[in-house]
Amino acid sequence: MKAPVGSKLTERDVTPEAIYLNRRQYLKASAVGAAALMAPALKASEAAPSADPAPLWLQSQNKQASSSPFSTTEKLTPYEYVTGYNNFYEFGTGKDDPEKKGQDFKPHPWQVTVSGLAEGTGTFDLEDLLKGLAVEERIYRLRCVEAWSMVIPWLGVPMAALLKRLKPLSSARYVAFETVYRPEEMPGQGSFFAAIDYPYVEGLRMDEAMHPLTLMATGVYGRSLPNQNGAPLRLVVPWKYGFKSIKSIRKITFTDRQPQTTWEKANAREYGFYANVNPAVDHPRWSQAEERRLPSTLFASNRVPTLPFNGYADAVAGLYQGMDLTKYY
Ligand SMILES: Nc1nc2c(c(=O)[nH]1)N[C@H]1C(S)=C(S)[C@@H](COP(=O)(O)O)O[C@H]1N2
Ligand SMILES: [Mo]
């Protein structure tokens, strides 16, 4: 296996979770309440691991992250699982393919093309797109439609802050996202037997995209995103199944029509546009009532009940008032 681009260490050599856990101990010991919440989440002395291959501007923006009151206090899923058990079919369908086969992918330099119903259309360098936006740490549950889940400490900017600077027109009712298409760096995209169409596409209703919980992630576990987690920029929508959280975003399009999404195109009966986590609506081939909270083993399967909207119902159920969620799954 190759080391990450621009470094001699592999991610596992640097045990960032140890750094992370130390910091949490420190936060607990030093202060409580609002003051602690406002403190920078990452101290200079606890810099991202040296394996972080991102450009310095991004490392430094991520390092200034502040903690968020939206974070869960549940036990974090270990770094090895967050970065070693992934779905990123562009690199293969095995859970360890993205880490193993994703290391030749080059997420820098990066540009994002914005089009459609907005004033701020054009192609932007990632640095300019993110400039001046405050990064937050958000510890969220991630619930995959396959019925496993993790607790992940993301870094990122509120999607609303990013989209507002693109000045969407009032006629924009949806926002669509597209993953980069680079078959030469993403072996799954070139595969003749690909399970899904590429580029991967996703979308949100505008009010979902602007919701305060919706994050444009730029990092995880105190460092910039590893390739397998969707470097350099990926969506995180914690109340929806994981497949909505599109990785390595290259295009953003504002539109007045509900965008097509990859998994709906692949199998509309099994995967809908909304994809809100819902224990009451089973997948046609399995129950969604419970999930395996990773790590789970043969002896400790770690089953926990799945909660409506993945536990974020208080914050988001209002977005779907009057909608039949068995129909709009
Ligand atoms: N471009 C792209 N984005 C993607 C996927 C993918 O295959 N390709 N998989 C999705 C699925 S099914 C899940 S569960 C999450 C997994 O994110 P993680 O690997 O960072 O935990 O990414 C989502 N985003
Ligand atoms: Mo998923």
Side-chain angles (χ1 to χ4, degrees), residues 87 95 142-146 148 200 241-244 263:
N87 277 334
K95 296 292 186 241
L142 176 92
R143 170 52 157 90
C144 177
V145 75
E146 298 163 337
W148 51 263
Y200 196 100
Y241 290 120
F243 66 83
K244 294 297 288 183
W263 282 101

Side-chain angles (χ1 to χ4, degrees), residues 32-84:
V32 266
L37 281 177
M38 297 309 292
L42 292 163
K43 303 271 175 304
S45 59
E46 293 154 330
S50 55
D52 191 338
L56 288 174
W57 68 264
L58 181 55
Q59 290 190 39
S60 100
Q61 207 162 337
N62 277 334
K63 270 183 236 161
Q64 289 167 41
S66 58
S67 301
S68 165
F70 297 136
S71 289
T72 172
T73 54
E74 286 159 278
K75 190 164 178 271
L76 298 180
T77 301
Y79 183 84
E80 280 75 8
Y81 284 82
V82 172
T83 61

Side-chain angles (χ1 to χ4, degrees), residues 266-279:
N267 191 338
R269 201 173 72 88
E270 300 191 351
Y271 310 101
F273 173 80
Y274 281 93
N276 292 316
V277 175
N278 191 342

Side-chain angles (χ1 to χ4, degrees), residues 303-314:
R303 283 184 192 286
V304 297
T306 289
L307 301 175
F309 299 102
N310 201 23
Y312 299 97
D314 286 353

